[in-house]
Amino acid sequence: MTITLITGANKGLGFATARRLIAAGHDVWLASRTADRGMPAAEEIGARFVQLDVTDDASVAAAADRVREASGRIDLLINNAGVFGSRRAADDIAATEVAEVFDVNVFGVVRVTHAFLPLLRASESPAVINLSSGLGSFEMITTTERARYGSLPYSSSKAALAMLTLQYARSVPDIRFNVVDPGYTATDFNGHRGVQTLEEGTDAIVSLATAGADAPSGTFTDRNGTVPW
Ligand code: NAP
């Protein structure tokens, strides 16, 4: 059985992904930064709960210990936890506000990936899926209407995440690393203004998560196919 850990899975796309992957037969660890939000969510769908704040080294290390003791390995890590950060104009944004967003969306992914690498290496077919965005695509931002929705901290953090994923894919060839853009999906993240349903928003993630050992590494996709870097 595929053992999958999803960060920030107490709601939104992470929760919907957990629900769909359990239905597809995965044994899912639903990671959430708080027990009061994460435990009921896990119980509702039959996932295992683990506390994990991606900005906290001790929390990440404790989560890796807990999963190692209970499961011995993970086959799939989904770095889903993310924040949008300030929506203010670029002129008004200070370095601390950018740092807060990078701490979750970029350094958080490194923190979690680094801590779970030994558990991934215990798998016969390990994979990592990172949740990026079209707003982190240079091509999309410069050639489509998405430029209107970009933000200095968020877009730059997701662009960094895309490159981070490519670097992992090239330098850690025994693990498949891919980036997925879920598309503009109605969640708390955007005050439910997103135009896609949670089902549509999780299509690309579920497709990659269930593709098996033949799945590629170093790709950027959404539910319609390849996304330009
Ligand atoms: P969401 O509903 O706001 O959920 C975000 C999740 O991340 C929540 O569970 C939140 O936990 C968690 N989180 C935030 N900071 C965390 C931390 N320090 N440690 C652990 N968990 C943390 O957002 P969503 O729409 O599902 O977004 C999920 C991912 O998809 C994000 O990476 C986002 O950038 C990406 N994405 C979303 C869209 C979209 O249209 N929705 C489009 C493109 C990309 P709490 O509940 O405790 O706050």
Side-chain angles (χ1 to χ4, degrees):
M1 185 184 272
T2 304
I3 304 174
T4 298
L5 185 135
I6 309 172
T7 64
N10 52 282
K11 66 177 183 178
L13 290 162
F15 182 67
T17 301
R19 188 196 288 278
R20 288 186 69 179
L21 291 183
I22 287 169
H26 287 216
D27 177 4
V28 172
W29 283 93
L30 183 153
S32 167
R33 60 177 158 173
T34 61
D36 60 335
R37 288 194 280 267
M39 278 179 100
E43 272 169 30
E44 185 184 331
I45 56 172
R48 300 200 244 188
F49 165 72
V50 64
Q51 192 276 335
L52 195 163
D53 181 335
V54 303
T55 64
D56 180 342
D57 284 325
S59 162
V60 174
D65 284 346
R66 163 106 178 81
V67 174
R68 183 184 308 107
E69 280 160 20
S71 298
R73 69 167 206 277
I74 58 168
D75 304 295
L76 174 62
L77 168 64
I78 303 181
N79 285 307
N80 165 81
V83 292
F84 194 86
S86 175
R87 293 176 189 271
R88 294 192 297 154
D91 328 26
D92 298 324
I93 291 178
T96 48
E97 293 168 84
V98 179
E100 280 169 19
V101 174
F102 271 63
D103 202 23
V104 178
N105 296 359
V106 183
F107 310 140
V109 171
V110 177
R111 228 175 247 118
V112 173
T113 303
H114 183 249
F116 280 84
L117 274 178
L119 281 94
L120 284 161
R121 290 218 158 96
S123 166
E124 284 179 6
S125 181
V128 177
I129 298 174
N130 292 333
L131 267 284
S132 187
S133 166
L135 298 178
S137 155
F138 288 93
E139 175 86 12
M140 304 281 273
I141 285 288
T142 51
T143 64
T144 73
E145 82 292 343
R146 292 219 191 190
R148 281 194 283 138
Y149 306 104
S151 98
L152 194 153
Y154 183 71
S155 292
S156 57
S157 75
K158 292 299 190 183
L161 176 60
M163 180 56 79
L164 197 89
T165 311
L166 264 185
Q167 291 299 322
Y168 271 127
R170 302 209 168 176
S171 52
V172 187
D174 53 320
I175 301 175
R176 298 186 301 282
F177 285 86
N178 292 290
V179 199
V180 163
D181 171 17
Y184 193 37
T185 307
T187 67
D188 289 350
F189 202 78
N190 46 43
H192 293 262
R193 284 185 296 274
V195 295
Q196 292 189 154
T197 63
L198 283 173
E199 181 86 8
E200 291 166 332
T202 51
D203 276 349
I205 310 167
V206 171
S207 160
L208 203 51
T210 54
D214 292 336
S217 187
T219 67
F220 189 0
T221 55
D222 64 15
R223 69 194 295 268
N224 300 311
T226 300
V227 178
W229 298 101

